[in-house]
């Protein structure tokens, strides 16, 4: 793996860590203490899952880019849809629970999902724009 590719994945990890810290700070400042303990999936677990999924997607896109740049877009779409399917599977357990904190947990889940989707999209566009 080239240093530029490693730097790309390192930036993904660092940006994910920064987003996580901001997210935790928002919860500490604006939400009742302990509300996140009532969630089905903790914020840490969601960030871990989406960070690993994004790292895998970007890693696969880098490999596909080396072999044939024409397939990067289709690969990105396929992997993103697969990740959405897995996320939908996780979301089902949140939707089934009727609790007072459920709207907060749903919003939390979708915010994290959309953040990582945006990060993946930006990186995929960078990969596509770096035609060699």
């Amino acid at each position: 793996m080239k240093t530029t590719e490693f730097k790309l994945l390192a930036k993904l990890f660092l940006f994910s860590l920064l987003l996580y810290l901001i997210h935790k700070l928002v919860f500490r400042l604006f939400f009742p203490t302990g509300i996140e303990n009532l969630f089905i999936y903790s914020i840490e677990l969601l960030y871990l899952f989406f960070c690993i999924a994004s790292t895998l997607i970007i890693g696969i896109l880098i490999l596909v880019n080396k072999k044939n740049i024409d397939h990067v877009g289709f690969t990105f779409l396929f992997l993103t849809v697969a990740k959405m399917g897995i996320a939908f599977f996780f979301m089902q357990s949140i939707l089934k629970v009727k609790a007072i904190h459920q709207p907060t947990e749903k919003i939390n889940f979708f915010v994290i999902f959309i953040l990582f989707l945006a990060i993946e999209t930006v990186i995929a566009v960078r990969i596509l724009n770096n035609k060699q």
Side-chain angles (χ1 to χ4, degrees):
M1 186 176 277
K2 294 180 185 175
T3 45
T4 56
E5 295 159 352
F6 180 73
K7 286 180 184 178
L8 192 64
L9 293 175
K11 286 180 185 178
L12 170 68
F13 177 75
L14 291 175
F15 194 65
S16 302
L17 185 62
L18 177 67
L19 288 175
Y20 166 74
L21 294 173
I22 292 170
H23 200 137
K24 286 297 274 191
L25 181 66
V26 167
F27 261 84
R28 298 259 165 122
L29 295 176
F30 301 110
F31 289 92
T33 306
I35 191 171
E36 55 192 278
N37 294 335
L38 302 173
F39 290 170
I40 295 173
Y41 303 113
S42 68
I43 294 173
E44 292 81 10
L45 182 65
L46 290 175
Y47 271 92
L48 181 66
F49 167 72
F50 284 115
C51 185
I52 290 171
S54 293
T55 303
L56 286 173
I57 289 172
I58 299 305
I60 292 171
L61 290 179
I62 289 169
L63 292 174
V64 169
N65 186 39
K66 286 181 181 179
K67 294 194 183 263
N68 189 352
I69 195 166
D70 296 330
H71 296 293
V72 172
F74 293 117
T75 305
F76 174 73
L77 289 175
F78 173 75
L79 294 172
T80 302
V81 168
K83 185 182 88 169
M84 283 182 185
I86 295 168
F88 180 75
F89 176 74
F90 286 132
M91 189 64 181
Q92 289 302 308
S93 57
I94 295 172
L95 295 174
K96 290 179 184 176
V97 173
K98 299 295 180 198
I100 196 164
H101 61 80
Q102 184 196 24
T104 307
E105 188 170 10
K106 284 194 288 190
I107 292 169
N108 183 57
F109 187 89
F110 284 118
V111 164
I112 296 169
F113 177 79
I114 290 169
L115 285 172
F116 278 95
L117 182 61
I119 292 168
E120 290 169 15
T121 304
V122 167
I123 293 174
V125 167
R126 281 187 179 179
I127 291 172
L128 286 170
N129 284 337
N130 287 334
K131 293 182 179 181
Q132 292 148 4

